[in-house]
């Protein structure tokens, strides 16, 4: 049974999708979760892109020890220098260089001839190799490249020291049959390819990223590049959870396995959704709310008789929490810790104390607290403490035919601030009051959404706001409460905190 390496690019390609940017602390938390998940490689970012990207890659390289940490670089010395400087402290560093090889990219983007591209690949892969043993070369837009020329590019990369050859379907144009045929062609026509890992990086523009990736595995690929929840540019990347569970569930077909701890899949998915504020669609394969739900009477009868009639996976296999123990306001810290351990969450004493405080507040509002409630508290624990501003209290007056007013009281470090404002609705008034007291009149609310993250009439509501500062940068804020007005205000304050943190 062959071993398939999982190369996760959530923190690089995934973060490039609109609305999915993360700050440094969020990237580190996500990287540590990816390490728990068991990915082989974390592509931490594009070090040359900005000083913050460089700092993020460098910090992640120091924060994880089990995974290889990679930085992306174009085939230029400046990019490679920055990539190496960012990953050189990693226990397992990798430099990932790329250059386009399709005729359309070479002519209109690179303005380079085929011979110039071949020479650049040889020179820059060799330059990267002078710093690091682990070098990956990607031929951008490989699926639309001339096969014979593409093979020459990979031959040059192998000769210069590349240890992984990546075959991207950069624009999501290919089909499973075409991608499998391309992998087969390269295996037969690239000298030295047997000494490398063959990787694939498929985009989802035509909805075939996962199918293309799996077809490449069947054809001989040994590394797959993917993202949690399939986030990424345009229509996204191949979804990590779908690829992993397809291999896991159909071992008989693919004769392959990964090193992924599948019980961490759901947790990784939920954490990313919480960080980015992008909800998981209910019908999303593997991690969606409906993935293991059955409403049809025929289905329900079958599942009751034998779960395998309609379930090809167990929800516990991907780490979906089971509500086997319901907690209430009389439950103590020990019971909460036991529940968290059973759900797979490992919190230190300080984190447990913060969650326990919020748990007690929630218990005063809800009679029974389920695993989903606790999960929401854990995922939002950092949002409460992060930043200089904290919501102390609020009073909202709203109704039909009366002015909508809001009184907000915030604590900023040791200073108490308060303001009253009127608006077109309770939230508009609240947000205006916050902007006024903090002197942030240029902020624009780009989007707002509200979702119930648990069930029942006393469900916890999660508010997500996207704020744009006066310079065009966007920040996502999330808030949690059984009171949707409160959750919305908390989300706005959380977004403001991130904005102020980035300005420091």
């Amino acid at each position: 049974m062959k071993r398939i390496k999982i190369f996760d690019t959530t923190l690089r390609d995934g973060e490039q999708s609109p609305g999915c940017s993360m700050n440094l602390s969020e990237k580190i938390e996500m990287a540590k979760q990816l390490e728990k998940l068991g990915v082989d490689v974390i592509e931490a970012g594009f070090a040359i892109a900005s000083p913050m990207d460089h700092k993020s890659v460098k910090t992640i390289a120091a924060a994880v020890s089990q995974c290889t940490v990679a930085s992306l670089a174009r085939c230029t010395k400046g990019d490679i220098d920055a990539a190496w400087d960012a990953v050189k402290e990693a226990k397992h560093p990798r430099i990932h260089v790329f250059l386009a090889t399709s005729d359309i990219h070479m002519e209109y983007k690179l303005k380079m001839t085929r011979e110039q591209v071949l020479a650049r690949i040889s020179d820059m892969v060799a330059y990267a190799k002078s710093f690091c043993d682990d070098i990956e070369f990607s031929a951008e837009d490989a699926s639309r490249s001339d096969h014979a020329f593409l093979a020459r590019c990979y031959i040059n990369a192998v000769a210069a020291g590349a240890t992984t050859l990546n075959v991207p379907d950069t624009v999501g144009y290919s089909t499973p049959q075409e991608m499998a045929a391309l992998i087969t062609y390269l295996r037969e026509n690239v000298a030295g390819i047997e000494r490398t890992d063959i990787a694939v990086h498929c985009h989802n523009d035509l909805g075939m990223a996962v199918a293309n990736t799996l077809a490449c595995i069947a054809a001989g690929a040994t590394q797959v590049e993917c993202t949690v929840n399939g986030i990424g540019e345009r229509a996204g990347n191949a979804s990590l959870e779908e690829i992993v569970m397809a291999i896991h569930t159909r071992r008989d077909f693919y004769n392959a396995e990964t090193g992924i701890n599948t019980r961490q899949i759901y947790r990784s998915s939920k954490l990313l959704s919480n960080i980015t504020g992008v909800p998981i669609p209910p019908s999303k394969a593997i991690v969606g709310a409906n993935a293991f739900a059955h409403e049809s009477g025929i289905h329900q009868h079958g599942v009751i008789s034998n779960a395998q009639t309609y379930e090809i996976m167990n929800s516990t296999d991907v780490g979906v929490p089971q509500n086997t123990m319901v907690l209430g306001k009389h439950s103590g810290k020990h019971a909460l810790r036991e529940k968290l351990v059973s759900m797979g969450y490992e919190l230190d004493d300080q984190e447990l104390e913060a969650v326990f405080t919020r748990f007690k507040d929630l218990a005063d509002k809800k009679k029974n607290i389920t695993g989903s409630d606790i999960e929401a508290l854990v995922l939002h624990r950092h949002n409460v403490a992060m930043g200089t501003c904290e919501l102390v209290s609020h009073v909202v007056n709203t109704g039909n035919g009366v002015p909508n007013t809001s009184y907000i009281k915030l604590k900023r470090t040791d200073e108490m601030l308060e303001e009253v404002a009127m608006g077109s609705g309770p939230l508009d008034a609240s947000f205006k009051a916050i902007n006024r007291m903090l002197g942030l009149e240029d902020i624009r609310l780009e989007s707002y959404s509200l979702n119930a993250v648990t069930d029942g009439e006393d469900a916890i509501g999660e508010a997500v706001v996207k704020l744009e500062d006066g310079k065009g940068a966007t920040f996502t804020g999330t808030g949690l409460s059984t009171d949707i007005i409160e959750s919305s205000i908390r989300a706005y304050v959380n977004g403001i905190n991130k904005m102020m943190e980035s300005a420091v």
Side-chain angles (χ1 to χ4, degrees):
M1 188 169 290
K2 64 181 179 181
R3 172 73 151 72
I4 305 299
K5 293 181 180 178
I6 302 297
F7 177 111
D8 182 275
T9 185
T10 301
L11 297 174
R12 200 278 300 170
D13 198 331
E15 202 215 8
Q16 291 175 198
S17 57
C20 289
S21 60
M22 309 176 210
N23 61 33
L24 182 58
S25 62
E26 291 167 338
K27 287 184 177 181
I28 293 170
E29 183 178 14
M30 193 68 216
K32 289 182 176 179
Q33 178 58 36
L34 291 172
E35 187 172 37
K36 288 181 183 178
L37 180 62
V39 304
D40 297 282
V41 185
I42 295 174
E43 187 167 49
F46 194 179
I48 195 68
S50 71
M52 181 53 69
D53 278 84
H54 185 279
K55 182 180 180 181
S56 297
V57 177
K58 197 177 186 73
T59 306
I60 291 167
V64 301
S65 60
Q66 302 301 314
C67 308
T68 294
V69 177
S71 177
L72 188 66
R74 292 165 298 188
C75 277
T76 66
K77 286 188 175 182
D79 277 38
I80 293 169
D81 289 341
W84 173 243
D85 186 64
V87 301
K88 64 185 180 182
E89 301 301 325
K91 191 169 182 179
H92 309 287
R94 175 182 292 189
I95 299 175
H96 180 193
V97 296
F98 73 96
L99 190 65
T101 56
S102 65
D103 289 333
I104 190 170
H105 275 240
M106 288 188 291
E107 179 180 356
Y108 292 101
K109 187 180 75 172
L110 299 180
K111 310 293 184 184
M112 294 172 68
T113 66
R114 288 188 173 190
E115 293 307 315
Q116 288 174 323
V117 166
L118 287 167
R120 179 70 64 84
I121 291 169
S122 295
D123 292 344
M124 292 301 102
V125 171
Y127 184 69
K129 191 73 172 183
S130 70
F131 295 110
C132 180
D133 288 334
D134 191 352
I135 304 298
E136 177 170 340
F137 170 70
S138 288
E140 186 183 9
D141 207 21
S143 61
R144 293 195 297 172
S145 299
D146 175 74
H147 286 195
F149 174 68
L150 183 63
R152 291 176 64 196
C153 292
Y154 286 129
I155 289 170
N156 282 22
V158 172
T163 50
T164 300
L165 301 179
N166 184 34
V167 186
D169 183 28
T170 304
V171 293
Y173 179 75
S174 200
T175 66
Q177 294 87 344
E178 289 171 323
M179 285 301 293
L182 178 55
I183 297 300
T184 300
Y185 176 85
L186 294 173
R187 290 180 66 194
E188 294 172 350
N189 291 277
V190 176
I193 197 171
E194 68 280 358
R195 300 190 303 273
T196 71
D197 274 312
I198 304 173
V200 289
H201 180 117
C202 298
H203 278 262
N204 203 42
D205 298 72
L206 293 176
M208 292 188 284
V210 171
N212 285 343
T213 301
L214 293 171
C216 290
I217 291 172
T222 54
Q223 176 181 292
V224 296
E225 306 198 354
C226 48
T227 61
V228 175
N229 294 343
I231 67 169
E233 291 185 285
R234 305 184 311 279
N237 287 271
S239 166
L240 180 149
E241 57 275 7
E242 294 176 24
I243 293 169
V244 168
M245 290 311 295
I247 295 171
H248 179 79
T249 306
R250 294 304 311 273
R251 290 189 195 90
D252 59 319
F253 182 82
Y254 292 105
N255 192 34
E257 61 184 359
T258 71
I260 294 295
N261 177 359
T262 62
R263 293 179 182 272
Q264 290 289 336
I265 286 177
Y266 180 78
R267 200 160 299 117
S268 303
S269 172
K270 291 289 287 186
L271 176 62
L272 180 65
S273 176
N274 172 254
I275 288 174
T276 61
V278 178
I280 304 168
S283 58
K284 172 76 171 66
I286 314 299
V287 292
N290 294 343
F292 296 96
H294 302 277
E295 184 173 331
S296 163
I298 295 174
H299 284 213
Q300 290 173 343
H301 176 72
V303 169
I304 291 170
S305 301
N306 185 326
Q308 292 184 350
T309 53
Y310 288 102
E311 289 187 357
I312 59 172
M313 298 170 285
N314 293 321
S315 60
T316 53
D317 289 344
V318 297
V320 176
Q322 303 299 300
N323 297 327
T324 54
M325 179 172 65
V326 178
L327 303 179
K329 66 180 181 179
H330 299 297
S331 300
K333 194 180 299 182
H334 178 75
L336 177 61
R337 183 186 288 275
E338 288 296 313
K339 178 65 175 177
L340 289 169
V341 170
S342 72
M343 294 170 64
Y345 289 105
E346 299 175 6
L347 273 61
D348 59 32
D349 290 341
Q350 184 177 358
E351 290 176 320
L352 178 65
E353 190 65 40
V355 173
F356 184 67
T357 299
R358 299 197 69 199
F359 164 75
K360 282 296 188 181
D361 291 340
L362 180 62
D364 288 333
K365 302 171 184 176
K366 293 193 69 172
K367 182 178 180 180
N368 294 319
I369 300 177
T370 66
S372 297
D373 294 316
I374 295 171
E375 179 184 61
L377 294 179
V378 172
L379 291 174
H380 282 76
R381 68 189 185 277
H382 295 303
N383 290 350
V384 179
M386 186 174 63
T388 57
C389 293
E390 179 183 350
L391 177 65
V392 176
S393 62
H394 67 285
V395 177
V396 173
N397 180 47
T398 185
N400 185 20
V402 299
N404 291 279
T405 61
S406 179
Y407 160 81
I408 303 291
K409 186 174 185 180
L410 298 181
K411 180 180 180 182
R412 182 170 63 184
T413 315
D414 295 326
E415 180 186 12
M416 290 293 180
L417 305 173
E418 53 187 358
E419 186 61 77
V420 177
M422 297 177 62
S424 58
L427 298 184
D428 182 50
S430 299
F431 298 163
K432 284 180 177 176
I434 294 170
N435 291 348
R436 187 179 299 167
M437 78 171 75
L438 298 176
L440 301 171
E441 301 297 336
D442 291 336
I443 291 177
R444 184 175 72 87
L445 179 64
E446 189 176 274
S447 67
Y448 166 84
S449 63
L450 184 67
N451 303 291
V453 296
T454 56
D455 299 323
E457 60 184 16
D458 55 358
I460 293 178
E462 178 188 48
V464 179
V465 300
K466 292 192 187 298
L467 307 177
E468 183 182 308
D469 64 9
K471 302 175 182 178
T474 58
F475 302 86
T476 300
T478 60
L480 204 70
S481 176
T482 53
D483 178 343
I484 60 174
I485 299 293
E486 180 184 342
S487 67
S488 303
I489 297 171
R490 289 189 181 280
Y492 198 83
V493 172
N494 180 232
I496 294 291
N497 281 332
K498 291 182 181 179
M499 187 179 297
M500 293 192 296
E501 181 187 32
S502 72
V504 175

